[in-house]
Amino acid sequence: MNISKDIKIRVIGVGKVGMSIVQAFAQSGFKVYGADIDKDIIDKGLKKVVQNLEKLVSKGKMNAEEKNAILSRIELSTDFDHLQDAAVVIEAVFEDMDVKKETFKKIDNLVNSKEALLLTNTSSLSISEIASVTKRPEQVAGMHFFNPVPVMKLVEVVRGTLTSDETVGQVKELARLMGKTPILSADSPGFIVNRMLNALTCEAARIVEQGVGSVADVDIGARLGLGHPVGPFELFDFLNGIPLLNHVTDYMAEELGERFRLPVWVKNLVRAGMAGRDSGRGFYDYSQKGK
Ligand SMILES: NC(=O)c1ccc[n+]([C@@H]2O[C@H](COP(=O)([O-])OP(=O)(O)OC[C@H]3O[C@@H](n4cnc5c(N)ncnc54)[C@H](O)[C@@H]3O)[C@@H](O)[C@H]2O)c1
């Protein structure tokens, strides 16, 4: 199969990242169809895409015709029949192996083309295990985007145990057509980027635990000493991602070693419901008005 901007792209699960993937495809000239089981999520997500594009128009980064052309390339629905003629399906449902497997079984049964690529945007789960429920594991790979997808230039292409060279080449080409830079990762927990990030964050948490430095000083150190745009604690607060960090590092600790286990004080934040900025508290306190 030739990868071009005319192929039929289908995104399954249009939550936070799925809808961002839809926007990125449409912005780079692809027609894209997004499906979700939840109509409310579709409506809210589309509103957000319209707002994002209007912001670009108001900043003079695109004109109103371009915005309308991008929106006209997006189709969204709770109907999964459009999967039948898909050339590429990108799955972005919840980060849960059972949900992923159920979704891939459904995709595999619905998609007619023998050549179609079945891709997952998982951040941490095994591509080989997801592929095992399909009749075409050679055409299953990871296509891991970074949020916000229209802005972030990186795509991790993840090769499962049975993924073919042809599939890897096609996914890389698709990423390039979106204006992204692909890097290739083997199927290993956290792949390349989240493995580096989670290792840094676990060490940062141990630095605090051992009284070597405070949360605020670790973040300042990462920004001013390492040149990172945000420190690790600020980042997970911003993403409201402390529970997910805890979940993923537990899995990475099982697979890769105890260096990925978060100290108890971070686990206690999760138990106390301190998920990050939106919950009012995370590594920092946002509960006071105006802070
Ligand atoms: N959040 C991030 O920054 C980020 C970045 C890269 C990759 N990811 C990965 O992207 C995936 C989605 O993450 P998210 O943060 O967007 O989650 P989310 O909870 O915002 O969205 C998941 C969506 O999947 C839908 N869904 C659930 N089951 C479905 C099914 N059977 N069929 C169709 N839709 C279904 C839900 O209705 C929801 O809209 C995860 O695998 C995650 O690891 C997340």
Side-chain angles (χ1 to χ4, degrees):
M1 175 175 61
N2 249 344
I3 301 295
S4 74
K5 290 199 177 179
D6 298 324
I7 61 172
K8 293 194 160 77
I9 307 280
R10 311 290 186 240
V11 179
I12 304 305
V14 289
K16 284 188 292 293
V17 183
M19 192 60 95
S20 199
I21 295 172
V22 165
Q23 183 185 329
F25 270 110
Q27 256 178 265
S28 46
F30 289 84
K31 273 193 167 172
V32 53
Y33 180 89
D36 202 288
I37 46 176
D38 189 330
K39 174 87 173 66
D40 252 21
I41 285 184
I42 291 180
D43 294 343
K44 281 187 196 135
L46 181 60
K47 235 186 194 167
K48 184 89 199 292
V49 171
V50 173
Q51 279 171 4
N52 293 343
L53 296 176
E54 279 170 353
K55 223 183 254 171
L56 292 175
V57 173
S58 70
K59 285 183 180 164
K61 294 196 171 159
M62 71 171 60
N63 60 38
E65 285 95 84
E66 282 169 308
K67 180 199 82 180
N68 292 336
I70 291 166
L71 290 173
S72 74
R73 289 196 284 272
I74 297 176
E75 209 181 323
L76 299 162
S77 150
T78 51
D79 176 3
F80 286 72
D81 286 350
H82 279 67
L83 282 178
Q84 286 170 14
D85 64 354
V88 175
V89 181
I90 298 164
E91 165 278 313
V93 303
F94 300 133
E95 188 74 340
D96 177 280
M97 184 52 89
D98 291 338
V99 179
K100 300 274 188 204
K101 281 182 171 172
E102 210 40 59
T103 307
F104 266 76
K105 265 189 217 159
K106 186 166 160 182
I107 296 170
D108 191 36
N109 286 331
L110 276 170
V111 174
N112 286 325
S113 164
K114 293 265 175 291
E115 296 186 307
L117 302 179
L118 311 188
L119 310 176
T120 171
N121 180 48
T122 180
S123 306
S124 62
L125 300 174
S126 165
I127 309 302
S128 310
E129 189 172 345
I130 293 172
S132 72
V133 300
T134 73
K135 295 184 283 297
R136 41 185 143 186
E138 307 76 19
Q139 284 145 252
V140 178
M143 186 172 195
H144 181 218
F145 291 94
F146 292 79
N147 214 12
V149 182
V151 178
M152 299 293 278
K153 290 286 174 214
L154 186 71
V155 170
E156 281 181 321
V157 178
V158 187
R159 183 200 284 275
T161 305
L162 294 174
T163 309
S164 70
D165 288 346
E166 191 183 7
T167 297
V168 168
Q170 287 167 326
V171 183
K172 282 184 168 177
E173 182 55 20
L174 185 60
R176 287 192 198 100
L177 283 177
M178 296 177 78
K180 310 280 184 213
T181 301
I183 57 175
L184 180 62
S185 172
D187 188 13
S188 179
F191 312 131
I192 294 173
V193 174
N194 283 339
R195 181 160 165 174
M196 290 192 285
L197 174 65
N198 291 346
L200 175 87
T201 307
C202 286
E203 200 53 44
R206 281 190 287 268
I207 286 172
V208 173
E209 185 186 39
Q210 291 165 11
V212 177
S214 67
V215 164
D217 281 354
V218 166
D219 277 340
I220 294 170
R223 275 192 275 114
L224 303 186
L226 299 176
H228 292 190
V230 287
F233 299 122
E234 294 164 322
L235 176 66
F236 280 97
D237 267 8
F238 173 74
L239 298 171
N240 304 298
I242 305 175
L244 186 64
L245 172 72
N246 184 40
H247 179 68
V248 171
T249 48
D250 272 350
Y251 168 61
M252 292 178 77
E254 301 301 324
E255 297 275 323
L256 299 171
E258 285 302 307
R259 67 188 187 281
F260 284 100
R261 191 85 64 190
L262 283 170
V264 170
W265 75 269
V266 182
K267 291 183 170 290
N268 281 344
L269 299 184
V270 179
R271 292 176 187 126
M274 296 156 73
R277 217 170 43 168
D278 287 356
S279 61
R281 283 195 169 93
F283 291 112
Y284 295 90
D285 184 356
Y286 306 86
S287 55
Q288 277 171 278
K289 263 201 171 157
K291 272 208 160 178

